[in-house]
Amino acid sequence: MDLTEALRTTGSSRDFTDQPVDNATIASILDDARFAPSGGNRQPWRVVVVHDPSIRRQLADLMTAVWNEYLGESHDATRAPFAFGRTTGASPVVAPNPLLDEIERVPAVLAVAADLSKIALMDAGTDRPPMTGGASVYPFCWSILLAARARGLGGVLTTFLSRAQAKASPVLGLPDDHALVATVFLGYPVRQLTKLGHQPVAAFTTIDRFDGHALT
């Protein structure tokens, strides 16, 4: 697939057909994704391909609790839920999430972790939650989605499980000093998105300063 086409047509797919995704296909996707950049080329990622339905269900239950909490936080339209890592203390809202409710039917479920001993947090110690560590692992996650797209698959990256890491760690056998950074769901999409709605460049790019003139 042409790279520009892949970049412009790789959206989040959550509705999959029943066509299975075998281990060979997953290995092939990861074989491409492993070339993603990381700080010092330390490649801190670890991946678990979760087949066991009972493990999937435990993870889904943990993520569902977070999903409900997330919906409860969403009542404030002026900011993202858990912005700055803070909670408003709003009550959870229970609502269906087909991806989690039927996780046993998802063709491929990948839990992605990062070895924190291999990641430099350049913004550690600042007066906000650190963000820069993600630069060493999320390009890998995005490469998984691009590699899947190139093979006719779709997928979505979620981070709900990170909030439940303390309970998820023993379920997945997560090593010490590792962080759960993403759960990636993959499959053959019921409908492949080709037109995605996004802001134009001028809406988020300025010249010289963040309060400068828009790049046009």
Side-chain angles (χ1 to χ4, degrees), residues 21-162:
V21 178
D22 58 26
N23 283 347
T25 300
I26 296 172
S28 177
I29 289 170
L30 295 174
D31 194 37
D32 284 346
R34 67 190 174 93
F35 289 96
S38 60
N41 195 31
R42 293 185 180 92
Q43 305 166 48
W45 44 78
R46 293 283 303 275
V47 181
V48 173
V49 182
V50 184
H51 289 310
D52 189 321
S54 65
I55 295 178
R56 286 190 176 198
R57 175 45 47 198
Q58 291 178 77
L59 299 181
D61 289 346
L62 291 173
M63 287 187 280
T64 296
V66 176
W67 162 249
N68 294 339
E69 186 184 6
Y70 176 88
L71 291 180
E73 294 279 332
S74 297
H75 71 281
D76 184 353
T78 64
R79 65 166 209 170
F82 308 125
F84 300 102
R86 304 188 187 110
T87 177
T88 65
S91 298
V93 173
V94 178
N97 185 319
L99 196 64
L100 302 178
D101 297 342
E102 302 180 23
I103 195 171
E104 293 87 355
R105 296 183 62 249
V106 176
V109 177
L110 280 60
V112 183
D115 182 347
L116 297 178
S117 70
K118 296 181 178 180
I119 294 178
L121 294 177
M122 293 300 184
D123 52 353
T126 61
D127 58 357
R128 59 166 175 77
M131 295 286 292
T132 57
S136 284
V137 66
Y138 287 117
F140 169 72
C141 296
W142 177 233
S143 291
I144 291 175
L145 294 175
L146 286 175
R149 176 73 180 92
R151 291 162 174 79
L153 282 78
V156 63
L157 180 157
T158 73
T159 54
F160 291 127
L161 197 59
S162 297

